[in-house]
Each structure stands twice: as C-alpha cells, then as structure tokens.
Amino acid sequence: MDHFPLSMLLLVLLFYCTKTLAQTPAQAPAPAGPTNITKILEKAGQFTMFIRLLSITQVGDQINTQLNNSNQGLTVFVPTDNAISSLKSGILNSLSDQQKVALVQFHVLPTFLSMSQFQTASNPLRTQAGNDDNGQFPLNVTTSGNQVNVSTGVDDATVANTIYTDNQLAVYQVDKVLLPLSIFGSPAPVPAPSAVAKKKSPAADAPVSGSDDAPADASGTIGLAMHGMLMVVPLVAGVIATRWWR
C-alpha cells in the first residue's frame, strides 16, 4: 500500500510531462539560403558546361551578388550541355577572357521577364554584355503562341522550358548558345574598288587606230613630207638653171 501513492504520483507526473511536450509549438523551418544560380543549375542537371563558364568568368558570382543585394531582377538563358557541345570544335577556347565574359553576360538580361512578358517586350533587349544602342549586342525575341524564340543576328534559339522562377530570377533553357554578332559575326566584305580607281589612263582612252577619229600615223606624215620635197627640188633646180644660162 505504501508503494501505491508513489506509483500514482509517477504516473501523474509522466502524464503532465507528456502533455506539456505535446503542446510545445514545432520549430519553424530555417530560412532559405541566398539565391545561387550554380545550385539551381546543378539541381536541374544537364548544364555542367555553362556552370563552368559561369565559374571561370565569375559571372555566376556577379549574378548571386546582384540577386541577394538588390531588388533588381534578372533573366538568364541557359544552353544545355548538348547545345554547347554542338559548337564548332575549339571555338570557345579561341576566345579571349574578355570575350568569354561578354558571351556569358550576353545570356543575362538585367530585368526579370516572365514567359508572358516576352510577348510585350520591346526589341532589342538589353543584356549584361553591353548597351544595345551601339549595335554590338542586339538580342531580339519573337513569340508564336506560347513559344519564345531568341535571335542574336548570328543564330536563332528557342526557349525550351522554365528551369526556375521566383519573381526576381527567371532561368530559361535554350536549345542553342546565344552567339553575339560582335564576336561571332562574319567580317564585313572588302569593298569593291571605286569607279574613280578604275579610270583608264589617257592612252587607254585613245580611239582605236583606223577609226575616223584616230590621229594620222607619224611615219606616214614624214613619208608624205619627204615625197613632197623630192618633187620640189627638181623644179627649183630647173628654175635656177634657166636663169643661169640667160
């Protein structure tokens, strides 16, 4: 009997402890980490080569810094590994460091654009690579229904799907590498010689010999003169002889 109250007491204490723990609110989930373009692409897969370009050019760090330290949105077009592999062999390695940076920045718009906003966007779009006003980095979009096409002046790409969007960052998969005209465009053709440069020399402009306008041949003129002199000499000699005999 002495142990009964103690057992009951333990049961009561256990009951209240269990009830108190059950009423304790659950811990709130940890806040999401800062936006990281590399982690987004790693999770999506098939973008290993573009991730490498983001790293070696440090454009990936620039994107993350801008997203996490300002309210300015961004739009990123990301070509797949297959798209980059389809480029001409060695074309990326032939670029200077500055050109590689410009190539990656050409895939980044300094504003957030949803898929529906592409239909009302004004061309040309401004990219992180430079000002579109100087004509060096023109990027244009056209839409047909839900399809969005991107044109660089060198190639045309299609937006395949949305990789990520959070109303500040939009990441879209494209089926081709966006090649800037200022880096990959064909060199301007050499202009043809002007008409002035092609002008003939005066000798070339002279009329063909034998035509009505051709000047008399010099040898012919001398021959005629000699013939005339031979005709005149006997006549003069005769006149002098006649006067002498008189």
Side-chain angles (χ1 to χ4, degrees), residues 8-179:
M8 291 295 294
L9 179 61
L10 291 174
L11 289 173
V12 171
L13 290 174
L14 181 61
F15 173 80
Y16 278 103
C17 288
T18 303
K19 184 177 181 181
T20 302
L21 290 173
Q23 291 177 345
T24 302
Q27 184 178 1
T35 304
N36 188 299
I37 183 68
T38 299
K39 291 182 178 179
I40 292 172
L41 296 179
E42 286 176 344
K43 184 177 180 181
Q46 68 177 334
F47 301 107
T48 304
M49 300 180 74
F50 193 78
I51 291 174
R52 188 177 304 130
L53 285 172
L54 288 172
S55 176
I56 64 177
T57 60
Q58 299 184 349
V59 175
D61 293 337
Q62 296 173 9
I63 292 175
N64 295 333
T65 299
Q66 185 170 341
L67 289 172
N68 295 302
N69 293 280
S70 71
N71 294 325
Q72 186 177 7
L74 294 174
T75 300
V76 185
F77 298 108
V78 185
T80 62
D81 290 338
N82 288 336
I84 297 178
S85 297
S86 66
L87 292 173
K88 184 179 178 181
S89 178
I91 191 171
L92 294 181
N93 291 332
S94 67
L95 301 179
S96 66
D97 292 341
Q98 184 178 0
Q99 288 175 326
K100 290 177 182 177
V101 171
L103 173 63
V104 178
Q105 290 179 331
F106 190 60
H107 289 71
V108 183
L109 309 181
T111 54
F112 172 85
L113 288 177
S114 65
M115 287 294 288
S116 60
Q117 288 176 319
F118 281 120
Q119 300 190 19
T120 57
S122 299
N123 288 317
L125 300 179
R126 189 165 69 92
T127 71
Q128 295 278 46
N131 191 345
D132 58 278
D133 292 339
N134 58 20
Q136 292 184 342
F137 295 95
L139 189 64
N140 298 281
V141 295
T142 57
T143 58
S144 177
N146 294 327
Q147 180 174 309
V148 177
N149 299 317
V150 186
S151 176
T152 71
V154 177
D155 60 358
D156 300 317
T158 300
V159 176
N161 58 63
T162 302
I163 300 172
Y164 177 88
T165 183
D166 62 2
N167 295 323
Q168 185 183 13
L169 171 65
V171 183
Y172 299 108
Q173 175 184 329
V174 288
D175 62 351
K176 291 183 181 179
V177 179
L178 305 182
L179 303 177

